[in-house]
Amino acid sequence: MTTSSTVPSGTAVSTRAAVRGSRPVTLIAMCLGAMITFLQITATVSALTTIQADLEVDPTTVIWIPSAYTLVVASLVLSAATLGNRYGRRRMFGVGILAMIAGGVAVASAPTVAWVIVGQLVAGLGGALILPNSLAILGATFTDPHRRTEVITAWSAASGIGLAIGPLIAGALLRQHSWHSVYVSTIVLGVVTLVVTAIGVAESRPSAGRLDLPGLLLGTVAIAAAVYAMIQGGRDGYTSGVVSTAWIVSAVALVAFVLIELRTSAPMLDVRLFRSASFSAVMVVAAVSLFGFTGVAILLVLFHERAQALSPLDTGWRMLVLFGAYVLVAFAAGRAIRRTGFKAPLTLGLVLGAVAAFGLAAQGPTTTFDHRWALFVLFGAASGLVVAPATAAALASVAPAQAGMASGAVNASRQVGSVLGSSLLGTLLTTTMAADLPDRLAAHLVGEPTRSAVRAAVAAGATGDQPLPEPVRSALAEAMTSGVQAGLRVTGIVFLVTAVLALTLIRNRPHQR
């Protein structure tokens, strides 16, 4: 496969030269883009308690501060890949960076929670445009299958860097400034990425064919309704009227999407790809990888800040151990795949991730970091063996001409997995904590009416910054830990089941024509 096959014939020579002359710059720009999209997640989670206290946000609304961003990314990421194919991947990548900057400006200057959510929605549009188009640009720039696997794992590792620096930046800025300053990092990094992109990234456009508008709209509705149901179901119950309606809308849109994509001559997603057991299995692994990686990261951030009462900066330094191990192993995995294929790292990573999750679940609120850091390293390394190779395996499971569709599909799967990790594990945390709290309060001899007042405060989300008596604080820490432990155990089980899937179904080597 040559570079000229990815662009219109009239510009094949000039584009090939531009791409070959700027491959390192292209890789840097695409990695910076991936970094921004994940920086937004952990920076927001780290600042969430401060935002809630400053703007006096009720618990029902506060969940939409991080979820608004994830909802838009997951809903539009597949459609964004189609727009990149139609109008130019570099152009759509640049629009995505501008949207991230605009979203950052909106949140950084937000006077109310409504403006915070609006800013998150705009930033989500940016994340949706950045992720699939950056991956597709790398696929078009690095055409050798083995080299492409290496750069895609580097791109995936950059997401870990974004997750890692989010709590550190938020923690450092919150010590000296208001929470608004946290989002300046998105603005600055976005401007740097735009400059690097302008310097050395060439346009990549595989075709100028007809835009599959019905598929784009139906695909967006199907994913958006499902993601909304996942998020809102955690608050209202997954069988409530509004949530049930969202599930029905998602199912109807999905069926219509499949029927239309099977009949159209230029589908945004060739659903026949899912006839490949390897491709379908990779989609599951991609979703599970971000389910665990994002979900466990959020659980551990909340555990450190709320169960162990650590500052965002102290939490960030601890999380750096996990994310640092992820980045190092993800970079190394790209070269290792040449010798091992995909099955070994994916299966081993899922098994080791399960071991680490079960190990972390066995520890309590008073366990020091000296006794936990090795499990942080293990989970980070395990994630590096899964998250990055899963993305490369998706492209390796299809013919090179279908790489653009595969990149959109794997990004959609990853983002839906991320939503599942944050919403389902977050819901499990809160419900387990609420159920466990009465017994914890009783065990610490907290009497009435204090016991009822504490339960009511927890239900209303009003205990964040209040000084609490030691028995109450200990009971809350233990109940919070119970919720975190439940989420970690579920993650371990899901990882083990998915390991069997990876071992039995995924193609071990890149697709050959």
Side-chain angles (χ1 to χ4, degrees), residues 377-441:
V377 171
L378 181 60
F379 189 83
S383 298
L385 287 171
V386 179
V387 177
T391 303
L395 271 67
S397 295
V398 302
Q402 298 168 313
M405 286 185 184
S407 69
V410 72
N411 269 300
S413 297
R414 281 161 53 97
Q415 294 308 313
V416 169
S418 179
V419 172
L420 286 169
S422 58
S423 62
L424 296 188
L425 294 182
T427 299
L428 182 60
L429 184 155
T430 55
T431 55
T432 303
M433 179 180 177
D436 193 56
L437 184 57
D439 290 340
R440 299 292 180 178
L441 291 169

Side-chain angles (χ1 to χ4, degrees), residues 121-342:
L121 291 170
V122 174
L125 172 62
L129 288 167
I130 290 168
L131 286 168
N133 288 299
S134 60
L135 181 57
I137 288 170
L138 291 178
T141 304
F142 298 88
T143 55
D144 175 73
H146 294 296
R147 180 60 177 154
R148 184 171 58 193
T149 296
E150 291 176 2
V151 299
I152 289 173
T153 53
W155 174 87
S156 297
S159 66
I161 297 175
L163 288 169
I165 63 177
L168 290 175
I169 291 174
L173 291 173
L174 288 171
R175 278 192 168 186
Q176 304 294 330
H177 308 284
S178 74
W179 60 265
H180 299 83
S181 64
V182 170
Y183 294 90
V184 174
S185 58
T186 299
I187 300 169
V188 172
L189 192 56
V191 171
V192 171
T193 305
L194 280 179
V195 172
V196 176
T197 301
I199 290 174
V201 179
E203 184 57 279
S204 168
R205 182 186 298 169
S207 68
R210 180 177 60 84
L211 183 64
D212 178 19
L213 188 59
L216 188 150
L217 293 175
L218 287 169
T220 300
V221 170
I223 297 176
V227 171
Y228 174 84
M230 293 175 201
I231 296 172
Q232 196 64 23
R235 302 297 306 177
D236 299 340
Y238 290 100
T239 58
S240 68
V242 173
V243 175
S244 296
T245 301
W247 286 124
I248 294 171
V249 170
S250 176
V252 171
L254 179 61
V255 171
F257 173 80
V258 171
L259 293 176
I260 286 178
E261 296 306 280
L262 285 173
R263 295 177 181 178
T264 186
S265 59
M268 66 176 288
L269 175 64
D270 187 352
V271 295
R272 296 175 183 85
L273 290 175
F274 290 92
R275 291 176 178 174
S276 165
S278 176
F279 183 80
S280 298
V282 169
M283 293 302 102
V284 175
V285 172
V288 168
S289 68
L290 263 290
F291 169 87
F293 192 46
T294 304
V296 168
I298 291 174
L299 288 177
L300 293 177
V301 168
L302 293 174
F303 170 78
H304 285 129
E305 292 187 1
R306 300 191 180 183
Q308 295 196 325
L310 298 177
S311 70
L313 185 58
D314 289 335
T315 297
W317 285 117
R318 284 160 174 77
M319 295 303 295
L320 188 60
V321 173
L322 186 155
F323 294 132
Y326 164 80
V327 171
L328 292 175
V329 173
F331 274 119
R335 293 187 177 275
I337 288 171
R338 285 194 179 193
R339 298 187 297 273
T340 66
F342 295 108

